[in-house]
Amino acid sequence: MLRLAQTICEPCSKDTPPLDKSECQAYLEQLPEWRIVEHDGIIKLSRSFSFYDFAKALTFTQRVGEIAEQAGHHPMLITEWGKTTVMWWTHRINGLHLNDFILAARTDEVAE
Ligand SMILES: C[C@H](O)[C@H](O)[C@H]1CNC2=NC(N)=NC(=O)C2=N1
């Protein structure tokens, strides 16, 4: 099984089909803290990270923003006192793509 965090994101066209449930479940084995949720009618990858205070949550938010910019693939970030919630999905296909799982794995790496 590929190590998600080290996998290179791949180009995604609007005709690319979203991953199906079994594909998502397979990738999710490497992301035990993440959940697949339906939010605004779209299937997304979601995880909340807890922090000591708002400043720590904000620092983490900035780090996730940096890996998103590097990859050209961006999450929804909800930052509040002591917590940041990250949701990944691919807008272009209104669903989940391998890139979302890669970025979720990289998100876990910057949380440490
Ligand atoms: C033009 C730009 O590269 C595209 O709009 C990118 C930007 N970041 C993105 N992020 C996510 N999550 N999904 C996308 O489809 C997407 N598209």
Side-chain angles (χ1 to χ4, degrees):
M1 185 73 173
L2 55 89
R3 269 192 52 69
L4 284 169
Q6 276 65 47
T7 305
I8 307 294
C9 288
E10 53 189 44
C12 166
S13 83
K14 64 177 175 35
D15 306 320
T16 305
L19 295 174
D20 65 31
K21 235 178 182 39
S22 61
E23 291 166 316
C24 290
Q25 288 307 329
Y27 289 131
L28 218 47
E29 283 169 25
Q30 290 190 51
L31 300 167
E33 308 291 330
W34 291 77
R35 295 286 173 273
I36 291 177
V37 299
E38 181 167 342
H39 176 263
D40 287 347
I42 298 172
I43 301 295
K44 301 174 182 177
L45 262 182
S46 182
R47 180 182 174 184
S48 288
F49 296 80
S50 298
F51 297 97
Y52 176 74
D53 57 14
F54 187 81
K56 296 274 189 236
L58 198 51
T59 299
F60 169 72
T61 301
Q62 176 64 29
R63 285 191 195 141
V64 179
E66 284 159 6
I67 62 169
E69 282 292 280
Q70 280 163 13
H73 196 71
H74 304 85
M76 172 190 279
L77 292 159
I78 302 168
T79 301
E80 45 197 321
W81 194 98
K83 182 167 112 173
T84 296
T85 301
V86 186
M87 286 196 208
W88 290 102
W89 79 100
T90 299
H91 310 163
R92 189 164 300 163
I93 62 173
N94 274 327
L96 288 175
H97 183 278
L98 171 58
N99 294 340
D100 298 306
F101 290 84
I102 292 167
L103 270 295
R106 292 184 193 168
T107 303
D108 284 346
E109 289 187 336
V110 300
E112 281 141 23

